Amino acid sequence: MSVRKKLPPLASLTVFEAASRLSSFTKAADELGITQAAVSHQIHQMERDFGFPLFARLHRRVVLTEKGKVLSAAATEAFGLLTTAVNDITKEAFRDELVISATVAFSYFWLMPRIFEFSRDHPEIEVRIVTQDSIPNVISAELDAVIRFGNGMWSNGRAERLFGDEIFPVCSPDYAKASGPIDCPVDLLSHSLISYDTADPMWTGWDEWLPACSVVVPKKTLGLRCSFYTEAIYAALNGQGIVLGWRHLVQDLLNQNRLVRVTNASIDAAGAYYVVSPTKRQPKPAARLFLDWITSSSLACPMDAAGSPAVQTIQTSQS
């Protein structure tokens, strides 16, 4: 029997790869331009042919089974290699285009204010930034570099550490002035604490930060809950409460006095920021220039004379 006869149809594998990467039949349907029912049918047909499930259907989401994970990893790598090969032989890859993936928060608060320096020094390179909070496919032929927070362990990715981070409460100057003294972490419980949703287990929220500062978290806290970190920062800028500031993301806002730090308490982030490049191929010249630039930029973070992060700490008083 030929190898091809042992494989599912290419159309089915395409649907499966998208569904497994996005963890959603609906999102896969949107990406592929077909209906959710068509995605479900293709997956069901594969499972019937294999004789075992590829996904566990849970409430409002799907999760890969162990066998599904094995097939997903193989399909992702195979499609990545095929795309790279096609680009190489048809010369469709833009040699001077640089495609960078970063989370929305990192892109907006750290990368975008600085990337002009790279473009100024290398005007021949067309830079495209793909903002996505989901974990991207590192070996994708489209991506030259991926910037992510984590532990540095990414399959099929070569990771280089940029910097760790420090986490502390921040708010707008107006909120700080009106709120009265906030001298220690326990004082925060009487204030509006802005939080945000995240699926990243290494990302620190109030439920982790407060206990780390020896504060018992009540069953319910006051404050606004946002879907994204960027929304939480905007809420704080508009005086709606106190949010946890990640130093490398809020440093520019602190320098501009648009946000101020409250209390001297802070904790170190569990992970660090990394720039990840594919291991299956050598970085093209534009990517090598970017990797050199961002690693150099990460070493130029502002520090005060004592060697600690240059953040602004205020003591509030009754207005």
Side-chain angles (χ1 to χ4, degrees):
M1 181 182 294
S2 69
V3 173
R4 193 179 68 174
K5 290 183 179 179
K6 296 180 182 179
L7 296 175
L10 181 59
S12 296
L13 283 173
T14 302
V15 169
F16 170 77
E17 189 278 332
S20 63
R21 171 167 43 83
L22 299 170
S23 298
S24 168
F25 288 2
T26 301
K27 291 180 180 179
D30 291 341
E31 179 178 288
L32 298 172
I34 59 179
T35 64
Q36 191 271 347
V39 171
S40 181
H41 174 75
Q42 291 275 19
I43 299 298
H44 178 72
Q45 183 63 48
M46 289 180 66
E47 292 176 325
R48 188 171 64 178
D49 292 342
F50 283 139
F52 51 78
L54 297 171
F55 291 92
R57 277 73 167 175
L58 306 179
H59 181 60
R60 293 185 177 179
R61 63 191 182 102
V62 293
V63 178
L64 285 166
T65 63
E66 290 303 314
K67 291 183 178 180
K69 291 178 182 177
V70 173
L71 183 60
S72 175
T76 297
E77 182 170 357
F79 277 107
L81 292 173
L82 280 171
T83 304
T84 300
V86 170
N87 282 339
D88 287 343
I89 64 176
T90 59
K91 301 186 183 302
E92 290 178 354
F94 294 98
R95 298 304 178 187
D96 291 327
E97 183 185 48
L98 177 67
V99 184
I100 308 161
S101 170
T103 62
V104 176
F106 190 89
S107 175
Y108 190 88
F109 293 121
W110 195 93
L111 185 59
M112 292 301 291
R114 293 167 176 80
I115 194 66
F116 78 92
E117 299 172 359
F118 176 82
S119 296
R120 178 195 61 202
D121 294 339
H122 304 284
E124 75 283 2
I125 298 176
E126 179 182 349
V127 178
R128 182 158 63 95
I129 299 176
V130 179
T131 57
Q132 50 186 162
D133 285 338
S134 59
I135 303 294
N137 174 14
V138 177
I139 66 169
S140 167
E142 180 188 42
L143 300 179
D144 297 305
V146 175
I147 304 170
R148 280 296 181 268
F149 179 84
N151 59 10
M153 303 297 291
W154 282 274
S155 60
N156 297 315
R158 184 189 305 108
E160 185 165 354
R161 190 180 188 276
L162 297 177
F163 39 68
D165 221 335
E166 179 191 11
I167 309 165
F168 44 79
V170 296
C171 64
S172 71
D174 288 342
Y175 184 93
K177 183 178 179 180
S179 65
I182 308 175
D183 298 321
C184 57
V186 72
D187 294 341
L188 295 166
L189 297 181
S190 61
H191 291 270
S192 176
L193 303 183
I194 304 170
S195 57
Y196 41 89
D197 297 324
T198 177
D200 188 344
M202 298 191 70
W203 195 261
T204 300
W206 288 112
D207 288 344
E208 295 79 30
W209 191 91
L210 288 169
C213 294
S214 302
V215 177
V216 177
V217 182
K219 291 184 178 179
K220 187 175 182 180
T221 57
L222 301 173
L224 177 68
R225 188 167 191 87
C226 302
S227 297
F228 302 100
Y229 185 70
T230 47
E231 294 174 353
I233 292 295
Y234 282 128
L237 288 168
N238 290 323
Q240 297 183 45
I242 302 171
V243 69
L244 285 175
W246 291 61
R247 180 169 65 88
H248 284 94
L249 300 184
V250 302
Q251 185 65 61
D252 289 345
L253 298 173
L254 291 167
N255 293 342
Q256 298 160 11
N257 200 39
R258 297 177 64 193
L259 288 177
V260 292
R261 180 174 172 175
V262 293
T263 82
N264 291 314
S266 69
I267 67 172
D268 292 332
Y273 288 96
Y274 292 83
V275 58
V276 189
S277 54
T279 56
K280 293 293 183 180
R281 65 180 188 273
Q282 289 297 315
K284 60 190 181 186
R288 284 196 294 269
L289 289 170
F290 174 76
L291 294 174
D292 290 341
W293 171 82
I294 194 170
T295 51
S296 297
S297 297
S298 70
L299 298 175
C301 298
M303 305 290 282
D304 63 17
S308 59
V311 296
Q312 178 179 4
T313 304
I314 68 163
Q315 297 297 324
T316 58
S317 59
Q318 294 284 7
S319 57

